[in-house]
């Protein structure tokens, strides 16, 4: 007899979903017990770490990832970092075990009450199949829903007695099913954008994470060079969509209304591509745009287009739009932008490492194609001033600011991309939300290098309390954590350093070892 479980595994295989990031419970055992040998189960010890590992894996791979979580408690544990996947548009398929179908109404222990609502509004779609026979089709629907634009996470709850039921007829049709979206801008829409760019006296590009996610970085360079226009990354960008040493690169826009307006003043046309308009954070009200400025917005996300407070939006595929725009604009006769000045001299410190010094040193210590996963919140300016990222897919950041992403996402990214070194740059506050991913890296021998910037405090919150002018606040510091002991406890080798020289030695040793390693660096306190 072919069971619902058999055809589900076959279905997952046809979509390349043969890696399962999970943390199991009793409801999941009947599914996992039938796992075929060509599948790999990646165990995480906390569901937040499981989900963030899958997020990093999916983003680094450029495809969907499968997550298996336990009932409501396990699934609920993943909700914090699930917020990030909404804004990074990560196509995660979250599958959770439901209690036996006939007992759910009684709310027996481990039943998911209102499964469709459990992860709302974070997931794009959620479902519990109406009967066992509909499980394979529902999971097929979940995969297609997650991966069709706008991509995002989905949730399916499956009663565990469904897995051993006989599969219905007709599931063979699901196996080869593919769905494709072709929504590109019309010729007229593209002309409108190109004409506006040609007519602008001083246009500026603002690129968001979708440029990098769609692999359009090179096309964005072509467009910027044709226009001789400067390029900013959108506020709070979770990816790096433009080479940071290109003469046009201006850095990461600040995340406040006033900050964005000030940075873009002097331009008559702003073209935002692949980002929301805009992802503000700190409330510094002001005019959204300087007077007389026109804002054009290209996004693949209808939600981003509709909720923006300003601008004229065009919804279409990002890679296609950037490529066609680069072809369509008239090469501009404005003088070429001057080359970027050399990197600024990093700020130094006597008895600790200054984060800016650390980032400057990492430029020469790490391979050029390194993937950086950052979650160190008070070092933003230092990071963007000092990093040299030339290749697509070089950077990941928690897209909704939900901490607990960085450390596990780096493990997932390294699993997805063994040919590129992944380096996690994690604050001593942020590290604790996803710390158990160290165990997964150690057990599965995933050679990610985790650098902990230990300044003893929630640095960004200290800065924010000044922005809000609220004076002293409780709960701002995190003294007394020894990350080398934690790492060793989870089975990973670790060192602690206080000087740039010792850091360089530790980093080279970690690189050479081909093993996962953690380096704790005592760092100076800085401001974002
Ligand atoms: N909890 C979660 C899940 N996400 C959050 N964003 C926060 C709490 C609040 N938070 C921030 O937004 S930044 C921050 C916290 C606690 C401090 C992080 O400290 P760190 O980095 O040590 O990682 P810095 O460089 O010292 O700021
Ligand atoms: Ca810190």
């Amino acid at each position: 007899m072919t069971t619902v479980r058999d055809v589900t595994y076959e279905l997952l295989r046809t979509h390349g979903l043969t890696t399962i990031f999970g943390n199991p419970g009793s409801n999941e055992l009947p599914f996992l017990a039938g796992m075929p040998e060509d599948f790999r189960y990646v165990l995480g010890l906390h569901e937040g770490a499981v989900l963030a590992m899958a997020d990093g894996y999916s983003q680094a791979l450029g495809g969907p990832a499968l997550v298996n979580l336990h009932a409501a408690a396990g699934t609920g544990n993943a909700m914090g970092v699930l917020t990030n996947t909404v804004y990074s548009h990560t196509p995660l398929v979250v599958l959770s075990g439901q209690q036996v179908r006939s007992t759910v109404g009684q709310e027996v222990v481990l039943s998911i009450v209102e499964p469709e609502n459990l992860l709302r509004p974070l997931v794009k779609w959620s479902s519990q199949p109406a009967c066992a026979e509909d499980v394979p089709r529902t999971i097929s629907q979940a995969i297609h829903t997650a991966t069709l634009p706008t991509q995002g996470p989905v949730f399916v709850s499956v009663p565990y007695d469904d897995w051993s039921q006989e599969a219905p007829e007709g599931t063979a049709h699901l196996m080869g099913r593919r769905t494709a979206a072709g929504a590109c801008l019309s010729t007229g829409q593209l002309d409108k954008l190109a004409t506006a760019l040609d007519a602008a006296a001083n246009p500026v590009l603002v690129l968001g994470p979708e440029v990098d996610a769609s692999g359009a970085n090179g096309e964005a360079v072509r467009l910027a060079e044709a226009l001789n226009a400067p390029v900013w990354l959108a506020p709070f960008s979770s990816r790096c969509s433009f080479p940071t040493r290109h003469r046009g690169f201006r850095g990461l826009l600040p995340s406040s209304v006033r900050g964005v307006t000030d940075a873009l003043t002097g331009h008559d046309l702003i073209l935002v591509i692949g980002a929301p308009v805009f992802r503000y954070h700190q409330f510094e009200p002001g005019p959204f745009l300087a007077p007389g400025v026109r804002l054009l917005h290209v996004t693949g996300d209808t939600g981003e287009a509709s909720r923006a407070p300003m601008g004229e939006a065009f919804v279409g595929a990002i890679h296609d739009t950037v490529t066609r725009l680069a072809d369509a604009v008239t090469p501009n006769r404005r003088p070429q932008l001057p080359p970027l000045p050399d990197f600024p001299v990093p700020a130094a410190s006597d008895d600790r490492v200054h984060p800016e010094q650390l980032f400057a040193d990492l430029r020469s210590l790490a391979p050029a194609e390194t993937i950086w996963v950052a979650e160190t919140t008070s070092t933003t300016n230092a990071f963007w001033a000092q990093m040299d990222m030339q290749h697509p897919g070089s950077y990941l950041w928690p897209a909704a600011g939900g901490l607990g992403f960085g450390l596990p996402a780096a493990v997932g990214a390294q699993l997805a991309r063994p040919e590129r070194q992944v380096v996690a740059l994690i604050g001593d506050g942020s590290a604790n939300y996803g710390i158990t991913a160290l165990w997964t890296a150690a057990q599965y021998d995933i050679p990610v290098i985790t650098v902990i910037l230990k300044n003893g405090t929630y640095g960004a919150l200290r800065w924010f309390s000044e922005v809000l002018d609220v004076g002293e606040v409780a709960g701002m510091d995190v003294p007394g954590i020894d990350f080398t002991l934690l790492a060793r406890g989870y089975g990973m080798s670790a060192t602690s350093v206080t000087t740039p020289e010792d850091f360089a030695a530790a980093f080279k040793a970690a690189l050479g070892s081909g093993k996962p390693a953690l380096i704790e660096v005592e760092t100076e306190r800085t401001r974002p």
Side-chain angles (χ1 to χ4, degrees), residues 257-311:
V257 170
R258 204 190 313 144
V260 172
T261 303
D262 288 354
L264 300 180
T265 292
H267 295 286
D268 57 338
L269 179 72
I270 302 167
L271 174 61
V272 183
I273 308 177
V277 168
F278 283 110
R279 208 86 214 290
Y280 299 121
H281 178 203
Q282 65 269 30
F283 185 65
E284 287 175 357
F288 280 127
L289 294 171
V293 180
R294 182 172 182 200
L295 188 144
L296 299 174
H297 181 195
V298 178
T299 168
D301 181 339
T302 52
E304 284 177 4
S306 55
R307 70 175 179 263
M310 61 194 157

Side-chain angles (χ1 to χ4, degrees), residues 311-371:
E312 191 179 340
F314 297 78
V315 179
I318 296 299
H319 192 285
D320 174 82
T321 306
V322 182
T323 306
R324 286 163 64 204
L325 260 188
D327 292 337
V329 294
T330 313
N332 191 271
R333 288 185 299 278
R334 271 182 292 272
Q336 205 185 36
L337 296 165
L340 290 189
D342 289 340
F343 288 101
V345 176
S349 157
D350 285 342
D351 50 347
R352 304 175 144 254
V353 182
H354 196 286
E356 199 165 348
Q357 181 72 55
L358 185 77
F359 301 142
D361 291 348
L362 280 168
R363 276 204 313 269
S364 49
L365 289 169
E369 295 212 4
T370 296
I371 298 174

Side-chain angles (χ1 to χ4, degrees), residues 112-187:
I112 306 178
V113 179
E114 293 189 44
E116 286 84 0
N117 292 329
L118 181 65
L119 292 184
R120 289 229 166 102
L122 299 178
V123 286
K124 206 180 152 183
W125 180 76
S126 62
S127 178
Q128 179 173 294
C131 57
E133 290 73 19
D134 202 33
V135 168
R137 193 209 55 81
T138 303
I139 293 175
S140 166
Q141 182 176 357
I143 298 165
H144 292 295
T145 304
T147 51
L148 280 166
T150 306
Q151 298 196 336
V154 298
F155 176 66
V156 182
S157 149
V158 182
Y160 76 74
D161 52 328
D162 285 5
W163 297 114
S164 59
Q165 302 296 310
E166 182 163 11
E169 281 185 32
T171 55
H173 291 292
L174 294 174
M175 301 306 159
R177 269 205 91 219
R178 290 294 173 265
T179 49
C184 296
L185 297 192
S186 70
T187 314

Side-chain angles (χ1 to χ4, degrees), residues 480-499:
I481 306 175
D482 186 332
F483 287 94
T484 64
L485 290 181
L486 290 171
R488 282 187 211 121
Y490 281 120
M492 186 181 292
S493 79
T495 357
S496 182
V497 301
T498 56
T499 67

